[in-house]
């Protein structure tokens, strides 16, 4: 397995080279000259030329590409062109609020979804199954924005149960700020998660081994928890772990509406100000997280199913 | 799951128990809101209003705008008085106020802030020109001060910039006196010295903090900064070593009646703390204000009709809480600019026809709740050069007149005129505004397409002249119409501020003449002539001069609308008794 992990980690090299190339080409071909945006409304042609020189935009394209590659491998992204802040610091500052919001919400949502989907799989075709299915469809049909606006108005403003917006660093100070957005995240996740997990459970429930277990007289609870859930773990792990990078990268809408200073808006802000170093950092970070998480998925497969061997 | 249950319950309990922070009735504390994240505190980059407002709490300039008097009046701040000017209008001699201290900082010996002197002013102005820093405020002094451009050019080729090298245009006379020698008359010079770009910094602080200087401001201002989370919360405490500075004893007529002179003569700042919450979205901003968590908010878009009636009156539920409404015309202009390098738009009658076909009354109702004013020309009301009596003959909705002009332009019923694309930002409201404009133009047979762009894309198209038309707004940098008329000055064409690439030799000659004149009735007359000349030539489809709308809590005292408000916060006060009393209603 160690060999496998090393090989997969080495795969990062071509991936990072590819990502660097794509970001570089897209930035140079699509977004054009960033200097007018960076200098503001009174920019002059001379000043724009000077800034282009200073940002290294006059260097040969290959040298510029090498700079991108270098930062991808050293994780030294320098400073934001727009805010002049250290990018590593910006990411650290933003990752904490994003993660304290998304990680607990994600864990709770996943556990709730699994429990609900097991229950509805058990009562498949009965009233409760229908009821949950209708709720799930209703849940995914209403836009996230409607939940956010409605819940913020009702629970934070009218009832005063939570803070309307803002954030404090450190536990438990952040709890009043993240509780409501976390609840909204959980509710928003339940619909698609339960539908997906239910389908997987139902796929398993009609397998031969379940009939065998029943024939041997095992209780339904044991069958569901010990056999069905275990066998359904592979697609569940795939579905769950692959979401982890997006937890770190934040929840744009929730963060914006609850004024949580997370990473959600960082890429969007960077795109709106042609802030190439930040765009580059976020794209590279996403790729690395994605690769690492797919590796974690593979390792978890071996734990969930001993038949899986990593070679 | 059993183990998780208590954890979940605890979390929810904490959430519910700790939900609402108690209001602070013991300390004079102001709660403000900023709709943008704050990039940092280096004054030379404070190009947007929000960064300028934050810089203005910790830093100061040589001059500032009077918080009450209108039209805007400059008053000395770090300078002891207005400068003396040589007979040729080129050499300014400034005297500095004595005893002004920088904030305590590890940058100074023993951590104690030292006195601000002439060297600091010269250093701060030179920082704007430092080629290594690429200051956003450099345009203010570019080609203005003798020797400064040469100094900049010299050090752009070298590794390090030497600030100690003296230049002819910036000379220290003694610790409290210095001179500035200009290349040519620059009547807006003192305004430039009141802008955040020109705030005074200490060299030790810049050297000590290096690239992190933007997060560690060390100014002479009324507040110090114990907490700076650029996208969450900024906290300011009163600067205990702030010099003797007092609330003004006179203002505009009527200020006394409004209670704006109740603190006259008192030492400022009047509050102990300012909290600035960064809130981007409008709903949380609106709800927090309604809960009494913030003391003042600017009304925007979807909150306007929740706050005011069609008659522009504050709704009764807000009046009951003692909230005040402030509606004030803003020094800005919105426009749909033609690209005059496109031959189609070199046809004046076409431009005039499009101006006449635009139904401003309806657009005003749809997008500004009827609070905006039709822009008659380039200069907004409230600025020298705007003449109330002047009505632009083409800024009136007249479909028949527009059709007639369009026919005279050679496009009867729009026939023969290619489709026109207007570039705008990819925001809902911007799209709606262009769609409404397109509907108006369609009525005379002109077909309009909407080009949606991210902000960088839009700026790129305009600076590279890759547009037919674009829409934008321009806000005043300082209260001088030159700042608006320059939008139509030929040498300022793209990538400069004249994105319409409008060139009119007669306009240019008069502009050149007017902009070197000191403020006088003669210059105002020239500004009026320029404004009206441009207005009838219809270089843009004129939009609006918008109105700013503020809601102010009853306990917030001394708030008066200021266009250039970075120094305003030190004059604000809180009536704790009123706050305590009214908090029951929130």
């Amino acid at each position: 397995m160690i060999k496998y992990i090393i090989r997969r980690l080495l795969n990062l090299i071509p991936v990072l080279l590819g990502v660097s190339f794509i970001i570089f080409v897209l930035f140079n071909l699509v977004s054009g000259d960033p200097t007018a945006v960076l200098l503001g409304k009174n920019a002059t042609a001379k000043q724009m030329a000077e800034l282009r020189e200073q940002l290294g935009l006059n260097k040969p394209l290959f040298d510029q590409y090498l700079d991108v590659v270098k930062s991808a491998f050293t994780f030294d992204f320098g400073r934001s062109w727009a805010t002049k802040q250290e990018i590593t610091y910006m990411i650290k500052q933003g990752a904490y609020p994003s993660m304290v919001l998304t990680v607990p919400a994600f864990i709770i949502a996943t556990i709730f979804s699994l429990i609900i989907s097991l229950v509805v799989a058990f009562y498949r075709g009965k009233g409760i199954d229908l009821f949950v299915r209708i709720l799930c469809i209703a849940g995914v049909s209403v836009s996230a924005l409607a939940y956010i606006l409605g819940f913020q108005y009702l629970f934070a403003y009218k009832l005063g149960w939570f803070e309307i917006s803002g954030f404090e660093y450190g536990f438990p100070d952040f709890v009043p700020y993240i509780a409501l957005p976390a609840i909204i995240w959980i509710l928003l996740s339940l619909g698609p998660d339960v539908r997906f997990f239910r389908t997987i459970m139902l796929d398993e429930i009609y397998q031969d081994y379940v009939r065998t277990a029943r024939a041997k007289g095992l209780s339904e609870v044991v069958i569901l928890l010990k056999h069905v859930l275990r066998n359904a773990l592979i697609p569940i792990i795939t579905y769950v772990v692959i979401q982890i990078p997006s937890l770190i990268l934040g929840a744009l809408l929730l963060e914006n509406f609850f004024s949580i200073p997370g990473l959600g808006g960082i890429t969007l802000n960077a795109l709106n100000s042609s802030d190439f170093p930040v765009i580059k950092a976020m794209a590279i970070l996403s790729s690395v997280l994605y690769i690492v998480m797919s590796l974690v998925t593979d390792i978890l497969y071996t734990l969930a199913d001993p038949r899986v061997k990593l070679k | 799951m059993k183990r998780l249950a208590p954890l979940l319950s605890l979390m929810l309990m904490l959430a519910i128990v700790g939900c609402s922070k108690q209001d602070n009735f013991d300390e004079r504390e102001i709660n403000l809101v900023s709709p943008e994240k704050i990039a940092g505190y280096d004054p030379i980059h404070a190009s947007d209003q929000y960064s300028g407002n934050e810089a203005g709490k910790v830093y100061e300039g040589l001059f500032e705008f009077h918080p009450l008097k209108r039209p805007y009046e400059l008053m000395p701040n770090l300078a002891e008085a207005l400068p003396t000017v040589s007979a040729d209008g080129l050499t300014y001699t400034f005297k500095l106020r004595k005893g002004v201290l920088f904030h305590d900082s590890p940058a100074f010996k023993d951590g104690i802030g030292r006195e601000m002197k002439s060297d600091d002013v010269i250093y701060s102005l030179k920082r704007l020109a430092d080629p290594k820093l690429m200051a956003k405020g450099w345009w203010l002094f570019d080609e203005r001060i003798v020797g400064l451009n040469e100094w900049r050019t010299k050090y752009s080729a070298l590794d390090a910039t030497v600030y100690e090298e003296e230049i002819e245009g910036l000379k220290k006379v003694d610790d409290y006196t210095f001179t500035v020698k200009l290349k040519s008359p620059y009547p807006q010079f003192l305004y430039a010295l009141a802008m955040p770009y020109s705030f005074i910094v200490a060299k030790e602080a810049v050297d000590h903090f290096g690239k992190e200087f933007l997060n560690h401001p060390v100014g002479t201002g009324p507040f110090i900064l114990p907490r700076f989370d650029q996208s969450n919360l900024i906290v300011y405490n009163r600067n205990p070593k702030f010099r003797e500075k007092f609330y003004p004893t006179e203002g505009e007529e009527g200020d006394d009646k409004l209670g704006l002179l109740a603190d006259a003569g008192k030492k400022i700042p009047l509050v102990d703390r300012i909290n600035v919450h960064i809130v981007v979205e409008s709903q949380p901003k609106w709800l927090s204000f309604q809960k009494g968590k913030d003391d003042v908010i600017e009304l925007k878009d979807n909150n306007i009709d929740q706050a005011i009636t069609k008659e522009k009156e504050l709704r009764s539920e807000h009046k009951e809480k003692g909230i005040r409404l402030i509606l004030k015309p803003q020094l800005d202009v919105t426009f749909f600019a033609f690209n005059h390098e496109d031959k189609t738009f070199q046809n004046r009658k076409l431009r005039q026809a499009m101006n006449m076909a635009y139904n401003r009354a309806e657009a005003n109702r749809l997008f500004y709740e009827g609070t905006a004013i039709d822009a008659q020309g380039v200069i907004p009301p409230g600025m020298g050069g705007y003449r109330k009596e002047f009505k632009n003959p083409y800024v009136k909705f007249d479909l028949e007149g527009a059709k007639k002009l369009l026919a005279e332009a050679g496009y009867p019923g729009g026939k023969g005129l290619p489709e026109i694309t207007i570039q705008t930002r990819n925001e809902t409201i911007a799209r709606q505004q262009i769609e409404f404009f397109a509907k108006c133009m369609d009525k005379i047979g002109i077909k309009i397409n909407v080009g949606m762009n991210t902000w960088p894309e839009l700026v790129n198209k305009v600076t590279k002249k890759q547009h037919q038309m674009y829409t934008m707004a321009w806000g005043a940098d300082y209260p001088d119409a030159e700042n608006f008329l320059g939008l139509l000055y030929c040498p300022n064409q793209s990538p400069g501020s004249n994105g319409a690439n409008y060139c009119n030799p007669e306009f240019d000659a008069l502009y050149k003449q007017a902009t070197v004149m000191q403020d006088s009735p003669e210059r105002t007359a020239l500004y009026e002539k320029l404004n009206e000349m441009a207005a009838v030539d219809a270089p843009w489809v004129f939009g609006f001069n918008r109105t700013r709308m503020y809601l102010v809590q009853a306990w917030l005292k001394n708030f008066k609308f200021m266009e250039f408000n970075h120094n305003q916060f030190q004059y604000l006060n809180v009536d704790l008794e009123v706050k305590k009393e009214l908090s029951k209603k929130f």
Side-chain angles (χ1 to χ4, degrees):
Chain A
M1 181 151 61
I2 302 289
K3 268 188 190 167
Y4 175 81
I5 293 172
I6 292 171
R7 202 169 64 238
R8 284 291 302 270
L9 286 175
L10 285 175
N11 276 351
L12 264 175
I13 297 170
V15 170
L16 284 182
L17 283 173
V19 168
S20 310
F21 184 71
I22 293 167
I23 307 167
F24 178 74
V25 170
L26 282 179
F27 186 77
N28 278 281
L29 291 184
V30 180
S31 74
D33 185 355
T35 54
V37 175
L38 294 172
L39 286 169
K41 63 179 191 174
N42 290 296
T44 62
K46 194 176 168 214
Q47 213 182 346
M48 284 166 66
E50 287 171 347
L51 183 58
R52 257 197 302 278
E53 181 67 34
Q54 201 179 82
L55 296 177
L57 298 171
N58 288 341
K59 287 203 283 188
L61 285 179
F62 185 71
D63 291 358
Q64 289 185 51
Y65 172 62
L66 281 185
D67 287 345
V68 180
V69 172
K70 199 173 143 199
S71 59
F73 284 93
T74 56
F75 268 56
D76 176 7
F77 301 112
R79 284 183 178 261
S80 151
W81 285 353
T83 67
K84 312 259 189 289
Q85 297 283 350
E86 182 97 47
I87 295 172
T88 321
Y89 174 75
M90 285 166 75
I91 292 174
K92 273 188 204 154
Q93 277 291 98
Y96 176 80
S98 282
M99 285 169 74
V100 296
L101 164 65
T102 57
V103 172
F106 172 71
I107 294 170
I108 296 168
T110 307
I111 293 169
F112 276 13
S113 306
L114 279 171
I115 295 169
I116 296 169
S117 55
L118 277 169
V119 171
V120 294
F122 180 72
Y123 290 109
R124 62 200 168 278
K126 304 240 171 80
I128 188 169
D129 183 25
L130 186 69
F131 177 67
V132 169
R133 272 156 60 201
I134 291 172
L135 272 188
C136 287
I137 291 169
V140 293
S141 308
V142 179
S143 95
L145 197 58
Y147 282 105
I148 294 172
L149 294 174
F151 277 49
Q152 188 175 52
Y153 180 79
L154 181 64
F155 296 111
Y157 173 64
K158 274 283 171 195
L159 299 172
W161 289 358
F162 306 96
E163 289 290 342
I164 293 169
S165 73
F167 188 77
E168 282 294 339
Y169 287 84
F171 182 81
D173 297 352
F174 61 68
V175 176
Y177 296 95
I178 60 124
L180 184 58
I183 290 169
I184 298 173
W185 169 294
I186 293 167
L187 290 177
L188 286 172
S189 308
L190 284 180
D193 286 7
V194 168
R195 289 179 71 204
F196 180 73
F197 294 153
R198 180 185 168 276
T199 311
I200 293 165
M201 304 294 180
L202 286 180
D203 273 355
E204 287 298 322
I205 250 167
Y206 292 110
Q207 298 288 326
D208 286 345
Y209 72 85
V210 176
R211 200 178 308 115
T212 312
R214 281 201 185 111
K216 283 170 76 178
L218 290 180
S219 75
E220 282 294 321
V221 175
V222 173
I223 294 170
L224 280 176
L225 291 181
K226 205 168 169 191
H227 298 284
V228 172
L229 184 58
R230 179 130 197 208
N231 279 288
L233 270 181
I234 296 280
I236 290 173
I237 288 171
T238 315
Y239 179 80
V240 168
V241 181
I242 222 65
Q243 291 184 53
I244 292 175
S246 65
L247 303 183
I248 298 163
L249 299 175
L252 175 65
L253 269 185
L254 280 171
E255 288 176 6
N256 258 1
F257 275 87
F258 288 94
S259 307
I260 294 168
L263 285 182
I266 200 171
T267 315
L268 197 68
N269 285 345
L271 288 170
N272 280 333
S273 52
S274 276
D275 196 349
F276 182 47
V278 176
I279 298 170
K280 179 176 71 179
M282 295 308 286
I284 289 166
L285 184 69
S286 314
S287 321
V288 172
L289 281 172
Y290 187 83
I291 301 260
V292 171
M293 284 307 147
S294 65
L295 178 60
V296 170
T297 311
D298 287 353
I299 294 166
L300 288 177
Y301 285 166
T302 62
L303 299 177
D305 186 346
R307 288 169 299 179
V308 177
K309 297 271 181 247
L310 300 180
K311 285 182 182 172
Chain B
M1 188 59 212
K2 266 186 187 170
R3 281 181 192 170
L4 272 175
L7 190 76
L8 291 178
S9 323
L10 176 75
M11 203 175 144
L12 280 174
M13 237 170 60
L14 279 169
I16 292 164
V17 172
C19 63
S20 286
K21 277 194 193 165
Q22 292 302 305
D23 287 319
N24 184 355
F25 297 122
D26 301 323
E27 282 182 302
R28 290 184 188 278
E29 179 182 89
I30 298 178
N31 287 287
L32 304 170
V33 62
S34 168
E36 299 270 347
K37 293 176 182 176
I38 304 304
Y41 281 83
D42 192 339
I44 61 168
H45 298 304
S47 60
D48 60 291
Q49 186 199 347
Y50 307 110
S51 301
N53 281 351
E54 300 319 314
K57 294 183 182 91
V58 285
Y59 287 110
E60 294 180 284
L62 294 176
F63 301 96
E64 66 176 17
F65 289 103
H66 196 289
L68 301 176
K69 289 185 179 173
R70 304 290 181 273
Y72 291 99
E73 194 180 297
L74 271 186
M75 56 181 199
N77 190 28
L78 293 178
E80 199 176 58
L82 289 174
T84 52
V85 186
S86 62
D88 60 3
L90 295 178
T91 305
Y92 287 63
T93 304
F94 295 87
K95 285 260 181 215
L96 289 177
R97 205 176 283 279
K98 289 179 182 163
V100 175
L101 297 177
F102 281 108
H103 300 163
D104 291 348
S105 161
F108 298 116
K109 198 180 162 208
D110 303 325
I112 308 292
R114 62 159 176 81
E115 192 180 10
M116 183 217 55
K117 295 184 174 165
S118 302
D119 284 333
D120 298 307
V121 181
I122 292 172
Y123 172 72
S124 301
L125 294 179
K126 277 183 166 174
R127 279 189 85 234
L128 279 158
D130 186 338
K132 308 285 183 287
L133 299 178
M134 281 293 151
K136 286 186 180 172
W138 169 232
W139 62 274
L140 276 175
F141 299 103
D142 191 7
E143 295 296 349
R144 298 292 190 182
I145 295 175
V146 175
L148 194 58
N149 278 70
E150 291 74 9
W151 181 81
R152 178 182 168 91
T153 308
K154 176 179 171 185
Y155 288 105
S156 60
L158 300 173
D159 287 340
T161 311
V162 180
Y163 280 85
E164 288 72 24
E165 183 183 318
E166 199 177 80
I167 61 168
E168 199 190 334
L170 288 170
K171 275 194 175 153
K172 172 182 166 180
V173 177
D174 59 45
D175 278 350
Y176 304 101
T177 316
F178 69 96
T179 59
V180 179
K181 193 171 176 190
L182 299 174
K183 284 183 173 176
S184 56
Y186 181 20
Q188 297 79 27
F189 179 47
L190 297 188
Y191 290 142
L193 295 177
M195 289 177 73
Y197 295 128
S198 312
F199 285 165
I200 308 306
V201 301
K203 186 173 188 301
E204 296 96 312
V206 177
D207 292 345
H208 178 81
F209 292 109
K211 285 189 170 172
E212 279 301 304
F213 173 63
L214 80 168
N215 294 323
H216 299 277
V218 182
T220 59
F223 296 98
I224 50 176
L225 180 77
R227 178 172 173 181
F228 173 46
D229 295 343
Q230 62 159 181
S231 44
N232 178 27
L233 173 69
I234 308 172
V235 179
Y236 300 91
N237 287 342
R238 174 209 291 267
N239 171 11
K241 294 186 176 173
F242 192 57
R243 65 180 183 280
E244 299 268 292
K245 186 177 177 183
F246 301 98
Y247 193 93
T249 50
E250 50 186 282
E252 198 183 12
E253 205 184 314
D255 282 350
D256 202 5
K257 232 177 173 178
L258 291 168
L260 291 167
L261 287 169
D263 287 319
K266 285 189 187 163
K267 189 172 182 292
I268 58 166
L270 296 162
V271 294
D272 304 312
R273 183 171 303 115
I274 299 179
N275 301 317
V276 179
H277 307 269
I278 314 296
V279 185
V280 178
E281 294 293 339
S282 63
Q283 168 156 309
K285 216 179 310 175
W286 174 245
L287 297 180
S288 294
F289 178 78
Q290 298 251 77
K291 272 270 187 206
K293 304 259 179 206
D294 293 316
D295 298 340
V296 54
I297 56 163
E298 187 179 353
L299 283 176
K300 288 260 165 105
D301 310 331
N302 41 357
N303 295 138
I304 299 175
D305 60 345
Q306 290 174 290
I308 59 174
T309 63
K310 286 206 162 59
E311 292 73 38
K312 300 177 201 169
E313 288 267 333
L314 189 63
R315 291 189 183 277
S316 55
E317 64 264 34
H318 308 307
K319 275 187 193 165
E320 281 165 20
K321 292 178 180 170
I323 292 169
R324 283 171 291 141
L325 169 71
I326 295 180
L327 290 176
K328 284 285 172 195
Q330 194 176 337
L331 293 179
D332 84 338
V333 61
T334 69
F335 53 86
F336 302 88
F338 302 103
N339 179 0
H340 289 257
E341 288 204 347
D342 184 326
K343 281 211 169 101
T344 312
F345 302 116
Q346 288 168 5
N347 185 335
R348 181 198 292 195
K349 290 203 166 164
L350 168 66
R351 304 194 303 260
Q352 291 168 337
M354 288 175 76
N355 264 287
M356 280 178 107
Y358 182 39
N359 187 346
R360 289 177 186 77
E362 185 62 11
N364 194 358
R365 193 187 62 76
L366 278 171
F367 303 113
Y368 305 108
E369 299 289 323
T371 58
I373 300 163
D374 292 355
Q376 302 295 329
V378 189
I379 303 176
M383 214 169 227
Y386 176 87
R387 204 160 57 84
K388 212 161 71 183
E389 301 74 34
F390 172 71
K391 296 288 170 222
N392 187 334
Y394 305 102
V395 177
K396 65 170 181 191
F397 181 52
D398 175 1
L399 275 182
E400 289 314 308
K403 283 177 187 165
K404 193 166 162 256
L405 275 170
L406 189 61
E408 288 171 20
Y411 305 109
K415 276 180 201 142
L417 185 67
E419 284 193 354
I420 297 166
T421 302
I422 304 186
Q423 305 295 341
T424 190
R425 293 181 76 159
N426 52 2
E427 287 171 356
T428 313
I429 197 109
R431 182 174 193 110
Q432 288 166 343
Q433 285 174 341
I434 304 281
E435 276 171 359
F436 176 78
F437 184 81
K439 192 181 96 181
C440 294
M441 296 304 127
D442 190 53
K443 292 206 167 130
I444 59 169
I446 296 177
K447 300 286 171 221
I448 301 284
N449 289 321
V450 187
M452 303 296 286
N453 303 274
T454 61
W455 177 241
E457 281 168 353
L458 179 61
V459 172
N460 265 305
K461 279 182 186 160
V462 175
T463 50
K464 291 189 174 148
K465 304 182 179 177
Q466 292 164 344
H467 62 290
Q468 281 187 292
M469 286 184 79
Y470 74 102
T471 179
M472 197 81 81
W474 184 271
D477 290 301
Y478 40 76
D480 187 323
E482 170 263 358
N483 192 229
F484 283 83
L485 293 166
L487 300 177
L488 297 175
Y489 181 51
C490 193
N492 288 350
Q493 62 178 285
S494 291
S497 55
N498 177 6
N501 306 310
Y502 175 75
C503 286
N504 176 343
E506 197 189 344
F507 179 94
D508 290 348
L510 273 184
Y511 174 85
K512 246 181 135 174
Q513 187 188 333
T515 52
V516 292
M517 289 166 71
Q518 291 294 342
D519 189 8
S520 60
E522 291 75 28
R523 188 182 73 167
T524 306
L526 267 184
Y527 279 171
E528 285 172 358
K529 194 172 173 189
L530 279 161
N531 187 38
E532 290 160 26
M533 176 198 289
V536 294
D537 202 25
W540 308 328
V541 173
F542 294 101
F544 297 97
N545 305 122
R546 293 175 295 183
T547 295
R548 276 197 198 257
M549 288 169 268
Y550 290 94
L551 291 188
V552 187
Q553 304 284 13
W555 55 79
L556 183 68
K557 300 294 173 195
N558 305 338
F559 182 86
K560 180 171 184 173
F561 170 68
M562 273 189 96
E563 189 81 32
F564 316 99
N565 59 343
H566 41 262
N567 64 321
Q568 182 180 35
F569 308 95
Q570 58 197 309
Y571 298 102
L572 299 180
N573 200 355
V574 176
D575 189 327
L576 292 175
E577 284 307 310
V578 174
K579 188 172 182 181
K580 206 169 181 179
E581 189 56 35
L582 280 171
S583 66
K584 295 167 199 157
K585 294 188 177 180
F586 283 87

